[in-house]
Amino acid sequence: KKMGKKRRIMEAQAPNHFSVSTVASHSHGLALANLSDLLLFPPSPASVAAMVDEPLDPPQPTPAAAAPPAPLLRPRREAFEHGLLPIPKLIFPEGTLAQTLSQLKEKLAPAAAAAGDGRVGAAALAEALQIPPDQAALAIGILAAVLPAEDPTLDAGGGGAGADLRDVLLFLYIQSYKRLVPRPHKDSPAVADVWPSTSAFDGYLSALSPIQLVRSNSRRFIPSQADEEIHQLSYLQKHMANILTLLADSVEGEGDDSLVLTMETFEHLGFLVHFSEGTSLSQAATFFANSDPDMPAAPVSAAQVHDWILQNIVSSLEFYTEKSTAKEGSQQIASDLDVTMADANTSHPRNSTPTVANPAFHRNSTFVEGFSKTSVVKHASDVKGNSVKVLNCHDSVIYILAPVKYATVYGCSDTTVVLGAVGKVIKVEHCERVHIIAAAKRICIANCRECIFYLGVNHQPLIVGDNHKLHIAPFNTYYPRLGEHLTQVGVDPSTNKWDQPFVLGVVDLHDSLSHPAGVSDVQAESATCVDPDLFTNFLIPNWFEDEVQEPTKCNPFPLPEIYQASQSKKQAVLEDSKKTIRELQLDENRKKELASALHSQFKDWLYGNFSSVHSVIS
């Protein structure tokens, strides 16, 4: 009784909310009090059974399984990044764009019908657009390079092959697209001295120099990949109605029902957009999904297709907006929604890879970004996706020893970039004092200065924009898997057009800047061939390369005779020098002097190349 009375007094005096210390101090007394109650007033057997059956902790409600993320519609970067040509007659005023292309379709339709397969060749395109045949052949070639799937007819037919009329119309339509331009640097006067203006058109043409990029230590003033994709989606959102009208077939009916798209035509929109996880458009679209392959799907009204695409574009734009808001103020200017190379080297300014809220957002590009005074090597196992981008690297050596479809080198300075095998297009833009060693089908060079290009290319190098002091030379290196990689991406080493540059205008007609009248007619500065006596081979270190059954042991691109003769002459001089040194009859003192001179020269070389050597050893 005394213990029960004591417990009731404690309960009366207890505060409404016990602190942790209060509960701990009274727990012993409360336990004894409860024990006394049990001894004096034992519970009935039924209540004991009920207490035994009652679970200690009530079960928590099972959360509903999370629904898989919806696929996101993305613009195809390749079409917008590699598919734009600064040819004035390919770019129509936006106000008359739809009407002009409709008229062009009528002109090209007879040629496509005569071909029997709906294809249009360079000759028909040149006549319809009133452009030179070589420019029409270039347009067809660039179109082939940016198609979402291989076109065997185009690949096998060379310059004389034709492209599907629907693809030609889409290609010509996006020539009206205007790229985002770099935002002005907040400290422009401070960097003006390292990027002198040497062109009368610099005020209109030149973007930020690589030196400015390095000194700023930030990409905030350059449009990010997400910014560009938002811009591209917004462009498609604005123009999709005209694009569908251009592709649609006319049938009997009134209003929206008079224009329809077949499933085959609908799939051609894959030139412009694709779903994040790789699902085909016709499988993602409710009106074509699960169509019987043995039965042709019924055409769908263009209005229904338009509503469906706009709905998906809006969803994607909302996703981008959410990601952009989440990243606001973050120090990580990631290569956005793609795979980064942040883990490539410990000296890289970023050490983390961005995560993506929507796992369905397909990652199809690899970025090598922001390296300075180091060497980076990437093999095929290190490269994710079908494209690689080398951005804002300074005073470094970058080895991409892998087969890819597309490659971009942007904003680099005092750097050597080796691109092993590129099956579609390389674009090198806004670089300064850079050496590019590349084997590819095509390369486009834009707005570069004092750069040397060692090329193995199956098509003429395209030179556009505000370039200065460019030099070109034949391909000059190899690595064990180079032959295998060239075969994998379809580059033919027996054909090398490195010395046949195709030069277009000095103005980028696809930027958002205004240009003075007449500037679009000014031709870009071409490139000069490297003197054969200054041509040298480039040795790629063997970084723990896997065993290869049939390794490439020499340059697979045959050198022109004059360059081969120069190399043979240098090799002969080297052998003579080595023989002379071996045959010298010197006393010990003279041998020491010779060794000291050789060591001194080597030290001088090592001092100038120490950072590269150190990164290689590391």
Side-chain angles (χ1 to χ4, degrees):
K1 289 183 179 179
K2 289 183 178 179
M3 292 179 65
K5 181 178 179 181
K6 182 178 181 181
R7 178 174 64 84
R8 288 191 292 271
I9 294 173
M10 289 174 60
E11 289 176 347
Q13 294 176 346
N16 291 331
H17 300 285
F18 284 99
S19 66
V20 174
S21 58
T22 305
V23 173
S25 63
H26 290 300
S27 60
H28 182 64
L30 290 174
L32 291 177
N34 290 335
L35 178 60
S36 66
D37 285 349
L38 285 173
L39 292 174
L40 294 174
F41 308 102
S44 65
S47 62
V48 171
M51 285 190 293
V52 170
D53 293 336
E54 183 180 352
L56 295 178
D57 295 310
Q60 299 297 322
T62 305
L72 292 170
L73 193 69
R74 298 181 70 181
R76 279 193 68 245
R77 293 181 186 173
E78 294 84 359
F80 293 98
E81 293 177 0
H82 300 282
L84 304 181
L85 286 172
I87 298 177
K89 288 192 175 181
L90 297 187
I91 304 171
F92 307 112
E94 187 169 316
T96 61
L97 178 59
Q99 180 182 356
T100 304
L101 286 177
S102 294
Q103 296 170 353
L104 184 67
K105 179 181 178 181
E106 294 178 2
K107 290 182 181 179
L108 294 173
D117 54 3
R119 292 179 174 271
V120 176
L125 187 63
E127 182 179 353
L129 293 173
Q130 294 297 296
I131 59 176
D134 58 348
Q135 290 188 2
L138 174 66
I140 295 292
I142 295 297
L143 167 59
V146 296
L147 285 174
E150 301 294 333
D151 188 331
T153 303
L154 266 180
D155 293 339
D164 190 288
L165 176 57
R166 291 163 292 194
D167 293 329
V168 172
L169 294 173
L170 292 174
F171 175 78
L172 293 176
Y173 198 104
I174 65 169
Q175 300 304 313
S176 66
Y177 174 76
K178 300 293 184 181
R179 296 190 188 95
L180 283 175
V181 295
R183 297 184 289 276
H185 189 262
K186 63 181 180 181
D187 193 23
S188 296
V191 296
D193 59 322
V194 297
W195 190 243
S197 177
T198 58
S199 168
F201 305 113
D202 270 1
Y204 299 94
L205 308 177
S206 295
L208 295 163
S209 79
I211 303 300
Q212 291 173 327
L213 298 172
V214 171
R215 290 183 63 171
S216 69
N217 195 29
S218 171
R219 291 187 65 241
R220 290 186 184 278
F221 56 94
I222 297 177
S224 68
Q225 298 293 326
D227 290 338
E228 290 176 348
E229 290 203 12
I230 290 172
H231 188 59
Q232 291 158 8
L233 282 174
S234 299
Y235 170 85
L236 293 174
Q237 184 182 34
K238 177 180 178 181
H239 292 274
M240 188 53 65
N242 289 338
I243 291 172
L244 294 177
T245 301
L246 193 62
L247 296 181
D249 297 321
S250 297
V251 295
E252 292 184 2
E254 296 181 358
D256 295 339
D257 295 332
S258 64
L259 294 176
V260 298
L261 276 83
T262 64
M263 187 170 73
E264 182 185 1
T265 299
F266 177 72
E267 282 287 2
H268 280 267
L269 292 173
F271 179 79
L272 301 176
V273 292
H274 67 112
F275 276 99
S276 50
E277 77 287 2
T279 305
S280 69
L281 292 180
S282 58
Q283 284 298 314
T286 55
F287 38 80
F288 284 129
N290 302 318
S291 295
D292 187 347
D294 298 327
M295 294 289 292
V300 176
S301 72
Q304 184 178 356
V305 175
H306 182 247
D307 292 343
W308 180 81
I309 290 181
L310 287 192
Q311 181 181 356
N312 280 278
I313 288 178
V314 169
S315 297
S316 295
L317 289 174
E318 289 175 353
F319 173 79
Y320 277 114
T321 303
E322 292 173 3
K323 292 299 295 181
S324 178
T325 303
K327 288 182 179 180
E328 198 76 26
S330 171
Q331 292 301 314
Q332 180 185 20
I333 308 302
S335 297
D336 302 302
L337 305 160
D338 292 289
V339 178
T340 65
M341 302 295 257
D343 60 341
N345 191 291
T346 54
S347 63
H348 195 285
R350 293 198 313 266
N351 294 316
S352 60
T353 301
T355 57
V356 183
N358 190 332
F361 214 94
H362 183 57
R363 300 177 173 185
N364 63 356
S365 294
T366 296
F367 288 73
V368 179
E369 182 176 5
F371 287 95
S372 179
K373 299 183 183 298
T374 189
S375 295
V376 180
V377 59
K378 290 295 162 186
H379 296 290
S381 59
D382 305 312
V383 174
K384 312 301 180 184
N386 59 16
S387 69
V388 63
K389 297 189 176 185
V390 181
L391 309 175
N392 307 333
C393 293
H394 173 67
D395 196 13
S396 297
V397 182
I398 311 296
Y399 302 85
I400 309 297
L401 310 182
V404 295
K405 288 185 178 180
Y406 302 94
T408 299
V409 182
Y410 184 97
C412 297
S413 64
D414 302 290
T415 293
T416 296
V417 181
V418 181
L419 297 168
V422 182
K424 295 291 187 180
V425 188
I426 299 171
K427 186 165 188 180
V428 183
E429 191 172 11
H430 295 302
C431 290
E432 178 186 52
R433 297 185 304 277
V434 164
H435 289 190
I436 303 292
I437 303 172
K441 281 192 176 178
R442 294 182 179 274
I443 187 170
C444 176
I445 302 165
N447 304 310
C448 293
R449 306 186 181 190
E450 300 178 34
C451 297
I452 304 178
F453 298 85
Y454 298 89
L455 302 177
V457 287
N458 294 163
H459 298 276
Q460 295 173 266
L462 179 61
I463 298 179
V464 300
D466 190 23
N467 301 286
H468 297 279
K469 299 181 180 178
L470 302 184
H471 289 81
I472 50 177
F475 193 70
N476 66 340
T477 192
Y478 67 94
Y479 59 92
R481 291 189 179 273
L482 177 57
E484 174 189 333
H485 292 166
L486 292 176
T487 301
Q488 188 173 335
V489 299
V491 175
D492 181 7
S494 66
T495 301
N496 192 357
K497 298 186 178 181
W498 67 274
D499 58 343
Q500 304 173 37
F502 194 116
V503 182
L504 289 178
V506 73
V507 171
D508 183 0
L509 299 174
H510 298 100
D511 62 32
S512 301
L513 302 174
S514 59
H515 303 291
V519 173
S520 61
D521 299 326
V522 179
Q523 195 174 48
E525 181 181 312
S526 188
T528 304
C529 292
V530 170
D531 188 321
D533 291 336
L534 301 178
F535 177 82
T536 57
N537 287 318
F538 185 84
L539 179 62
I540 297 177
N542 187 357
W543 267 299
F544 310 109
E545 183 72 60
D546 295 336
E547 292 293 330
V548 183
Q549 290 184 352
E550 297 182 5
T552 303
K553 298 182 178 180
C554 63
N555 183 353
F557 292 86
L559 286 177
E561 185 176 344
I562 188 172
Y563 286 89
Q564 185 61 56
S566 176
Q567 288 298 99
S568 299
K569 179 181 177 181
K570 290 179 181 178
Q571 186 65 31
V573 170
L574 176 61
E575 293 299 329
D576 289 343
S577 300
K578 291 163 66 176
K579 182 180 178 182
T580 301
I581 292 176
R582 284 196 303 266
E583 294 177 351
L584 283 175
Q585 300 295 326
L586 300 175
D587 57 31
E588 289 301 319
N589 289 334
R590 298 290 290 172
K591 286 182 179 179
K592 289 181 180 179
E593 290 179 5
L594 177 60
S596 177
L598 291 173
H599 291 165
S600 176
Q601 293 295 319
F602 176 74
K603 287 179 181 178
D604 289 344
W605 175 87
L606 183 62
Y607 180 79
N609 297 273
F610 179 75
S611 60
S612 297
V613 173
H614 180 267
S615 63
V616 169
I617 296 172
S618 301

